[in-house]
Amino acid sequence: MRKSYIRSLGHFVPSNVVTNFDLEKMMETSDEWIQQRSGIKERRWVEPGETTTGMALKATQEALRKADLKADDIDAIIFGCLLSDYIFPGGGCLLQKELGCSKPIPAFDIRNQCSAFPYSLQLADSLIRSGVYNRILIVGSEIHSTSLDKTTRGRDVSVLFGDGAGVCIVEAAPENSKSFIIDTIVQSEGEGCQYLMIHNPSPMNHPRMQANVELDESFYPHMEGRAVFKNAVTRMCQIMGTILQKNGFKPSDVDFVVAHQANMRINQMVMNELKIPFEKTHHTIEKYGNTTAATIPITMNEAVDLGKIKRGDLVATVAFGAGFTWGASLMRF
Ligand code: ACO
């Protein structure tokens, strides 16, 4: 039976570092509050000229280089993003052009926010297992900084998010490979939509765009932090328990966990609840904040580069985000 595995990863973050102290100059907040509540010390924010597609391209070039592949070796792109460089078309098509692919490969767009990675991985794994494609590029690339309310009004959200891109190349595993995706599970609950969303500009308005409209809170991300926090811990623990049990593993069998980076406290609680030692995970939230779709491939790439994840390790990834959506994957890396 065909299986797939992660052949290589890559990531890119903008060079512009924005510290908590920089935020103190924009809004009523403090380095102490942000670190205590979230674990974040700094994040990267794009500068004019940097794009979602451009960051994705740089991350992809790293993954291609590490696997000794060319753009034309990719059979399909799955692009995860809240909002690509344009309202439409999606980021996958834009990246296909920038990669310089000489053939018109398919480009899928995934809009599952912080859970984009498990959703994309399930799709890629299924398409490879079923023999439709051999090699798929999964991308998460996100610019938050230009959509945030950087005044005191938006401080509960704007201190948490950063920009960046992370990718991985998933391909058909050689026979008897010690590296393969074991399972992915993804779920959603639309009831949670109200707790984390941007309302406007919405096609429900007639017309969607109107002249001289005041840019009130409805144009910026709205988050009910406590509800999101509670649901994140509950769902991440549940889905990790489910995927481990379904595949005959105990938490103690897991060599490494790559968790979404929304809040250090969420991840501490999840690891505590699962009784997996905190050393078996890697964090990028301190320096990049929450980069939604990009977070898991960025964090996993760093962990691989640091030698924390080795080939054959039992690795779990777990994410939770707006929608609500959440998901987990289990693999022999
Ligand atoms: N600086 C200083 N004070 C602040 C800030 C800030 N940046 N933001 C809020 N506060 C204040 C509040 O106004 C409140 O003040 P009050 O007590 O006088 O009313 C106080 O701090 C406490 O606010 P809480 O919201 O209760 O703080 P909490 O401990 O819950 O932490 C946080 C807030 C960090 C947002 C937390 O709830 C959280 O991390 N939630 C989950 C975020 C998340 O997981 N997002 C999911 C993914 S995103 C995606 O999918 C797109």
Side-chain angles (χ1 to χ4, degrees):
M1 186 184 158
R2 267 168 77 94
K3 289 180 181 168
S4 77
Y5 80 113
I6 294 184
R7 172 142 172 203
S8 68
L9 297 113
H11 80 268
F12 175 82
V13 289
S15 56
N16 178 35
V17 178
V18 178
T19 66
N20 293 344
F21 299 106
D22 294 324
L23 297 183
E24 285 180 4
K25 293 175 203 142
M26 301 176 203
M27 60 190 83
E28 283 173 33
T29 190
S30 67
D31 174 57
E32 192 192 353
W33 191 96
I34 301 170
Q35 282 208 50
Q36 248 179 26
R37 293 302 218 283
S38 70
I40 300 167
K41 292 182 181 161
E42 57 189 43
R43 71 287 293 139
R44 305 296 177 99
W45 283 359
V46 289
E47 290 176 300
E50 291 184 296
T51 62
T52 306
T53 315
M55 292 195 299
L57 177 67
K58 289 190 174 127
T60 302
Q61 285 165 339
E62 181 188 336
L64 287 171
R65 201 170 51 243
K66 282 178 168 169
D68 199 17
L69 293 169
K70 303 179 298 301
D72 271 342
D73 297 322
I74 302 290
D75 297 332
I77 300 169
I78 301 177
F79 198 106
C81 189
L82 266 82
L83 186 61
S84 75
D85 293 328
Y86 303 109
I87 304 289
F88 69 85
C93 300
L94 304 176
L95 180 62
Q96 190 270 345
K97 172 180 174 281
E98 291 303 316
L99 275 172
C101 304
S102 65
K103 54 184 183 189
I105 58 168
F108 299 85
D109 280 282
I110 293 280
R111 291 194 60 204
N112 292 100
Q113 299 67 249
C114 300
S115 309
F117 184 79
Y119 272 83
S120 301
L121 192 66
Q122 184 175 70
L123 183 57
D125 182 47
S126 308
L127 288 168
I128 291 171
R129 276 175 191 262
S130 58
V132 180
Y133 305 116
N134 282 319
R135 187 176 294 122
I136 298 177
L137 173 68
I138 292 180
V139 182
S141 186
E142 213 78 84
I143 294 180
H144 284 291
S145 56
T146 54
S147 303
L148 300 172
D149 180 353
K150 295 170 187 157
T151 68
T152 299
R153 184 180 68 178
R155 65 181 179 176
D156 59 326
V157 176
S158 53
V159 301
L160 301 177
F161 290 94
D163 305 335
V167 308
C168 71
I169 295 172
V170 184
E171 69 175 54
E175 223 170 289
N176 301 323
S177 168
K178 65 175 182 177
S179 302
F180 54 93
I181 310 291
I182 297 167
D183 201 3
T184 49
I185 304 179
V186 290
Q187 290 172 334
S188 77
E189 186 179 45
E191 293 277 313
C193 157
Q194 58 184 306
Y195 299 115
L196 188 51
M197 69 191 308
I198 298 184
H199 287 79
N200 277 317
S202 163
M204 291 189 288
N205 300 337
H206 294 260
R208 182 159 63 94
M209 309 286 272
Q210 292 166 54
N212 304 322
V213 167
E214 187 205 343
L215 287 181
D216 61 16
E217 283 109 318
S218 70
F219 287 85
Y220 294 102
H222 162 79
M223 183 173 77
E224 288 179 41
R226 287 192 179 175
V228 176
F229 193 107
K230 232 174 79 188
N231 277 277
V233 175
T234 306
R235 294 304 193 183
M236 286 164 84
C237 289
Q238 274 174 358
I239 204 157
M240 280 287 285
T242 305
I243 201 165
L244 288 171
Q245 197 183 25
K246 183 180 160 205
N247 292 284
F249 293 105
K250 302 184 295 300
S252 56
D253 295 326
V254 175
D255 294 308
F256 209 79
V257 178
V258 183
H260 176 60
Q261 309 283 296
N263 187 317
M264 188 77 98
R265 287 188 297 143
I266 292 179
N267 293 354
Q268 278 162 340
M269 285 170 131
V270 171
M271 296 295 277
N272 277 351
E273 182 71 24
L274 293 168
K275 299 190 172 52
I276 300 178
F278 207 57
E279 305 76 61
K280 288 189 174 185
T281 186
H282 179 63
H283 286 283
T284 49
I285 191 163
E286 314 88 298
K287 48 187 186 176
Y288 303 144
N290 182 353
T291 56
T292 49
T295 293
I296 288 187
I298 288 178
T299 307
M300 197 169 192
N301 189 40
E302 273 203 11
V304 172
D305 284 350
L306 290 167
K308 294 185 176 184
I309 297 178
K310 292 176 282 308
R311 284 289 172 202
D313 280 354
L314 184 66
V315 176
T317 74
V318 61
F320 179 89
F324 292 133
T325 56
W326 61 98
S329 70
L330 200 57
M331 69 189 80
R332 285 283 171 199
F333 180 74

